[in-house]
């Protein structure tokens, strides 16, 4: 294999503000380096220390790490604890009982506040209701519910009784829900009558009913329904129950089920290259430790902060930085039901101002769409809102283009808030590579350095580390506590996919290309391995070409790059572009495509020029905002679309994106 070529150059550096550094949890690079040195010299001692510091144990562990069954690693195995106890009960006796745990803003703008004492009582009531239904430790419970306080209650109640939850994003189809019910063997489903997004009510319970009708769901004994809208829904006697009714008359205390550190906390499905979803299984102690610790390290959380992660609880980001991390850290957080553009494109900025949000964590996709919205509608620009409460910004979900980073830093953070560009995955449980806001000099588009205890490297296809400045495969050399333990019901797929024999069977393969800077040793993620292009023998990361396109401020709002086979060059670059103006056609489209090709050539080099450019009103995304790259690859090749597009936000754009310029 030839090395992945890194051709992008980013020379802008932003130092942490002195006032931020002075009060930070990790102050300056010296403090960061000291923690890394500790982890390097005494790996098990390091992890034992932080786990004792950040977790409450019913029964302390005696063994830190068991590597005897690699890659099925075990951490703190003989320790006993409970995740819900660590998130809720802890906050009853440390002075946070009357502190607001959740500020919930509904789609229509209604706001409610829930204290830690109230959240604890409601979780206990629901946990008792689940126990009364016969749900017990080790049972799997599927949760298919909108972003809500009730969603967090459902997850925490499962954790409290030792049941294993599997949350499914509320935008998935009946087929997707059915696949997950069957694979996980769910005994109960927790859902809602409907969800409300962008001023519309959308079905939820109906989709569950459809899923159950597809067969092989005999394991499901109960469907518990949160009454969100009150509109009529079908009810099956004996199976379907209202959440509020079964919680009535239940005690507001519930003794937690003390479980082993390695007891599965949840199973979360993620897409796989085969098309069959993978049930990623996470442990209790290791996962919770990292969720709590990264709240402190990455977000520098203070008792006075108002934290807002915009992710849905149906994704890993919503698990780690909505349900578990903020509560384990005793934070006040915002949970939002709606979408960033309803009733206007300034909704996020309005909410930050209203709730005095201090830490804001969102996805590059959202940032790019809000850049576009603020340029077409000046009233939605962040400068029109009081964002002085912000002290820290975060980015999650995919690498952020340098130009989007710069816009975010200047226009949302007013050039005074560090931006933590966090690299991690469903499988990693929490952040792996990220700046520390009081320590790391920031470089736009780079996730910078691994967190202390994370042994990251860039290797070739034999597992040999490559020189800095040369691209290759991102790997983690040592196990860490929050890593996935296996794929539910498919341990072989787990080992083969994440710890391939070609790399020696012990290196965690992230599935991303990366490069380390020769001077700073910062990591830059170059896109998924299967999104690496090979054009005339040159291996180019899609991310760099996308960033080059988006850096054309006047024209481009968003871009996604894939490849298609080409007789001459092996692979040809295909760019799907959303402009900051109306979608062009005819000669105008051809002229704009020429301008953009020349621009990429100037930014990176002629080798990176897209062969095809296609314009659309937007890009195909799931309702969670992820670009459907597999769909783009099919469009690029001219294949007929056979995959499930039920989660696609706007199917009409598929025809637009077939037009080649």
């Amino acid at each position: 294999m030839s090395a992945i070529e890194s051709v992008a150059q980013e020379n802008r550096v932003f130092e942490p503000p002195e006032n931020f550094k002075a009060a930070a949890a990790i102050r300056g690079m010296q403090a960061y380096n000291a923690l890394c040195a500790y982890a390097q010299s005494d790996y098990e001692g390091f992890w034992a220390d932080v786990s004792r510091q950040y977790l409450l144990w019913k029964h302390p562990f005696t063994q830190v790490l068991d590597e005897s069954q690699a890659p099925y690693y075990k951490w703190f195995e003989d320790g006993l604890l409970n995740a819900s106890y660590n998130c809720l009960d802890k906050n009853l006796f440390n002075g946070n009982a009357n502190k607001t745990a959740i500020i919930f803003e509904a789609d229509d703008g209604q706001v409610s506040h829930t204290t830690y004492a109230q959240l604890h009582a409601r979780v206990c009531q629901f946990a008792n209701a689940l126990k009364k239904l016969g749900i017990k430790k080790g049972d799997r419970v599927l949760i298919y519910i909108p972003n809500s306080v009730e969603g967090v209650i459902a997850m925490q109640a499962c954790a409290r009784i030792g049941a294993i939850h599997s949350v499914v994003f509320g935008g998935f189809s009946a087929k997707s829900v059915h696949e997950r019910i069957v694979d996980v063997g769910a005994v109960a489903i927790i859902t809602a009558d409907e969800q409300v997004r962008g001023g519309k009510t959308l079905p939820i319970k109906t989709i569950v009913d459809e899923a159950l009708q597809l067969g092989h769901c005999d394991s499901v004994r109960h469907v518990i329904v949160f009454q969100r809208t009150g509109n009529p829904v079908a009810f099956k006697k004996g199976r379907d129950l209202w959440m509020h009714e079964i919680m009535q008359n239940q005690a507001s205390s519930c003794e937690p089920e003390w479980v082993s550190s390695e007891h599965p906390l949840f199973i979360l499905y993620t897409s796989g290259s085969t098309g069959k979803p993978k049930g990623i299984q996470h442990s209790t102690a290791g996962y919770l430790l990292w969720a709590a610790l990264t709240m402190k390290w990455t977000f520098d959380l203070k008792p006075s902060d108002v934290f807002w992660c915009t992710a849905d609880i149906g994704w890993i980001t919503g698990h780690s930085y909505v349900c578990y991390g903020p509560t384990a850290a005793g934070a006040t957080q915002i949970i939002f039901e709606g979408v960033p553009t309803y009733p206007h494109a300034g909704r996020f900025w309005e909410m930050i101002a209203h709730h005095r949000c201090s830490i804001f964590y969102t996805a590059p996709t959202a940032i790019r769409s809000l850049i576009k919205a603020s340029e077409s509608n000046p009233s939605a620009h962040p400068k029109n809102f009081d964002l002085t409460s912000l002290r820290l910004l975060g980015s999650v979900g995919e690498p952020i283009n340098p130009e989007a980073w710069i816009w975010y830093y200047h226009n949302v953070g007013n050039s005074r808030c560090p931006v933590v560009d966090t690299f991690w995955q469903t499988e990693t449980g929490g952040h792996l590579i990220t700046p520390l806001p009081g320590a790391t000099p920031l470089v736009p588009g780079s996730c910078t350095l691994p967190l202390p205890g994370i042994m990251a490297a860039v290797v070739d296809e034999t597992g040999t580390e490559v020189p800095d400045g040369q691209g290759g495969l991102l790997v983690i050399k040592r196990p860490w506590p929050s890593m996935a333990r296996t794929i539910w019901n498919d341990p072989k797929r787990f080992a083969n996919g994440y710890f391939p024999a070609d790399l020696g069977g012990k290196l965690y393969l992230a599935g991303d290309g990366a490069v380390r800077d020769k001077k700073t040793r910062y990591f830059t993620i170059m896109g998924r391995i299967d999104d690496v292009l090979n054009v005339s023998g040159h291996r180019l990361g899609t991310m760099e070409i996308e960033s080059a396109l988006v850096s054309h401020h006047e024209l481009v709002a968003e871009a996604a790059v894939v490849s298609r086979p080409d007789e001459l060059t092996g692979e040809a670059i295909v760019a799907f572009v959303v402009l900051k103006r109306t979608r062009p056609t005819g000669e105008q489209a051809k002229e704009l495509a020429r301008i953009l090709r020349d621009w990429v050539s100037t930014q990176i080099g002629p080798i990176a020029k897209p062969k095809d450019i296609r314009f659309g009103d937007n890009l195909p995304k799931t309702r969670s905002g992820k670009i459907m790259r597999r769909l783009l690859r099919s469009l690029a090749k001219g294949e007929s679309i056979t995959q499930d597009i039920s989660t696609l936000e706007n199917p009409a754009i598929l025809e637009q994106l077939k037009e080649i310029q």
Side-chain angles (χ1 to χ4, degrees):
M1 161 188 137
S2 56
I4 301 171
E5 293 178 31
S6 175
V7 285
Q9 288 296 317
E10 180 56 66
N11 299 313
R12 292 168 289 190
V13 180
F14 298 83
E15 293 288 337
E18 284 303 320
N19 61 337
F20 198 108
K21 191 187 289 188
I26 297 177
R27 300 175 192 177
M29 289 303 288
Q30 198 173 347
Y32 164 78
N33 289 328
L35 281 168
C36 291
Y38 176 18
Q40 194 77 46
S41 63
D42 182 6
Y43 198 64
E44 290 194 18
F46 169 85
W47 287 114
D49 269 4
V50 292
S51 66
R52 290 183 185 115
Q53 190 181 342
Y54 282 86
L55 295 180
L56 296 174
W57 296 89
K58 178 71 172 174
H59 177 78
F61 58 88
T62 61
Q63 185 180 13
V64 180
L65 171 61
D66 178 359
E67 300 183 74
S68 62
Q69 306 288 312
Y72 308 103
Y73 300 102
K74 292 174 179 173
W75 285 88
F76 323 116
E77 190 180 10
D78 59 345
L80 288 182
L81 77 169
N82 179 276
S84 174
Y85 183 88
N86 271 272
C87 293
L88 302 177
D89 301 61
K90 178 173 71 181
N91 287 300
L92 301 189
F93 51 74
N94 67 2
N96 286 339
N98 295 318
K99 181 180 182 177
T100 298
I102 298 171
I103 303 165
F104 175 72
E105 181 160 320
D107 186 73
D108 65 1
Q110 288 191 52
V111 175
S112 64
H113 291 75
T114 306
T115 65
Y116 273 101
Q118 290 167 331
L119 186 61
H120 175 267
R122 291 175 70 187
V123 166
C124 286
Q125 284 176 313
F126 193 46
N128 285 326
L130 294 178
K131 285 204 293 190
K132 197 172 178 182
L133 293 173
I135 299 168
K136 60 188 187 303
K137 176 183 171 182
D139 283 344
R140 280 80 62 204
V141 175
L142 190 114
I143 301 174
Y144 182 65
I145 204 166
N147 220 31
S148 55
V149 179
E150 284 72 17
V152 172
I153 289 168
M155 293 164 78
Q156 290 276 354
C158 288
R160 197 163 193 89
I161 65 173
I164 305 164
H165 62 68
S166 185
V167 185
V168 181
F169 171 59
F172 275 135
S173 64
K175 181 175 175 288
S176 298
V177 174
H178 173 257
E179 282 174 350
R180 288 155 175 76
I181 292 169
V182 173
D183 192 67
V184 86
V187 302
I189 298 170
I190 302 168
T191 187
D193 50 4
E194 294 178 306
Q195 61 177 327
V196 186
R197 287 172 67 84
K200 298 174 184 162
T201 56
L202 302 163
I204 288 277
K205 169 69 164 57
T206 307
I207 292 170
V208 169
D209 291 341
E210 285 173 25
L212 291 170
Q213 284 165 11
L214 294 170
H216 307 290
C217 299
D218 299 342
S219 60
V220 178
R221 299 195 299 269
H222 303 288
V223 176
I224 302 159
V225 188
F226 158 50
Q227 193 171 40
R228 169 61 185 92
T229 65
N231 291 328
V233 287
F235 244 61
K236 185 174 178 180
K237 198 173 176 183
R239 184 194 72 183
D240 298 353
L241 305 157
W242 288 112
M243 186 175 179
H244 62 276
E245 286 183 358
I246 64 171
M247 287 173 69
Q248 280 171 2
N249 306 318
Q250 293 293 342
S252 57
S253 62
C254 173
E255 178 68 13
E257 181 75 36
W258 303 104
V259 299
S260 156
S261 297
E262 283 298 317
H263 179 73
L265 178 60
F266 63 86
I267 296 159
L268 183 58
Y269 285 83
T270 184
S271 56
S273 54
T274 64
K276 183 180 183 289
K278 298 178 288 190
I280 301 298
Q281 180 181 315
H282 275 287
S283 72
T284 298
Y287 169 81
L288 192 64
L289 165 65
W290 205 227
L293 188 51
T294 48
M295 288 296 300
K296 189 74 176 172
W297 282 357
T298 309
F299 298 121
D300 195 56
L301 188 78
K302 311 290 186 208
S304 58
D305 277 317
V306 176
F307 176 81
W308 183 14
C309 167
T310 66
D312 190 281
I313 55 170
W315 307 109
I316 188 66
T317 306
H319 282 52
S320 301
Y321 302 111
V322 177
C323 181
Y324 290 110
T327 51
T332 294
Q333 68 166 316
I334 299 164
I335 295 180
F336 177 43
E337 179 180 43
V339 295
T341 51
Y342 177 83
H344 55 81
R347 180 74 179 269
F348 272 7
W349 322 132
E350 187 177 73
M351 285 178 63
I352 290 169
H354 183 230
H355 300 302
R356 306 306 292 158
C357 171
S358 56
I359 304 170
F360 181 63
Y361 191 39
T362 196
T365 296
I367 296 163
R368 290 191 297 262
S369 68
L370 293 169
I371 294 173
K372 188 180 181 186
S374 66
E375 291 184 354
S376 59
N377 177 10
S379 65
H381 196 282
K383 68 183 179 189
N384 298 312
F385 301 85
D386 178 6
L387 306 184
T388 52
S389 59
L390 287 171
R391 67 181 195 90
L392 180 62
L393 302 174
S395 168
V396 59
E398 59 183 301
I400 183 167
N401 307 87
E403 295 311 321
W405 192 105
I406 290 287
W407 185 91
Y408 193 31
Y409 178 77
H410 288 308
N411 292 282
V412 181
N414 198 25
S415 312
R416 54 179 180 78
C417 301
V419 177
V420 288
D421 173 5
T422 59
F423 169 80
W424 61 297
Q425 302 167 314
T426 302
E427 296 86 347
T428 70
H431 308 146
L432 290 186
I433 308 174
T434 174
L436 293 171
T440 319
L442 304 170
V443 171
S446 170
C447 50
T448 69
L449 294 167
L451 284 169
I454 302 299
M455 307 300 177
V458 180
V459 302
D460 62 19
E461 285 182 343
T462 67
T464 307
E465 287 197 44
V466 301
D468 291 346
Q470 186 176 309
L473 311 174
L474 179 64
V475 297
I476 311 298
K477 296 190 287 185
R478 292 294 315 273
W480 67 101
S482 69
M483 66 193 298
R485 294 303 190 260
T486 187
I487 292 172
W488 181 259
N489 283 335
D490 203 345
K492 197 171 175 184
R493 187 181 181 191
F494 174 77
N496 293 342
Y498 297 111
F499 297 89
D502 292 354
L503 301 182
K506 289 190 177 180
L507 293 178
Y508 171 81
L509 179 65
D512 285 285
V515 63
R516 294 197 82 163
D517 186 84
K518 285 180 182 176
K519 289 182 190 167
T520 61
R521 307 212 72 216
Y522 282 8
F523 285 85
T524 297
I525 306 301
M526 298 165 69
R528 298 292 297 168
I529 295 167
D530 55 6
D531 286 336
V532 172
L533 314 176
N534 193 331
V535 181
S536 301
H538 297 265
R539 290 170 60 85
L540 303 166
T542 54
M543 183 64 203
E544 296 187 312
I545 304 168
E546 288 168 10
S547 292
L549 285 160
V550 173
S551 71
H552 197 303
H553 308 289
E554 290 172 25
L555 283 178
V556 180
E558 194 167 15
V561 169
V562 298
S563 69
R564 63 167 175 78
D566 186 272
E567 282 183 14
L568 185 64
T569 57
E571 286 185 336
I573 298 167
V574 182
F576 296 87
V577 176
V578 180
L579 296 177
K580 290 179 175 176
R581 56 181 79 175
T582 54
R583 184 174 69 91
T585 54
E587 288 305 311
Q588 189 194 15
K590 286 187 172 61
E591 177 58 14
L592 287 171
R594 184 192 63 76
I595 291 168
L596 291 178
R597 281 192 187 93
D598 291 347
W599 176 261
V600 172
S601 185
T602 312
Q603 295 295 301
I604 296 177
I607 193 66
K609 273 180 126 166
K611 191 144 188 187
D612 302 345
I613 292 184
R614 308 184 186 191
F615 297 105
D617 290 331
N618 44 50
L619 295 176
K621 292 171 188 170
T622 63
R623 288 175 203 154
S624 69
K626 281 234 174 184
I627 296 170
M628 298 174 76
R629 291 179 186 274
R630 273 189 288 171
L631 189 60
L632 291 180
R633 282 195 283 272
S634 294
L635 285 168
K637 292 172 187 171
E639 298 169 346
S640 55
I641 304 301
T642 56
Q643 64 200 85
D644 180 15
I645 56 169
S646 59
T647 60
L648 190 59
E649 208 172 52
N650 178 11
I653 59 170
L654 296 182
E655 286 305 313
Q656 296 176 7
L657 296 173
K658 288 178 183 175
E659 295 177 25
I660 303 169
Q661 306 300 332

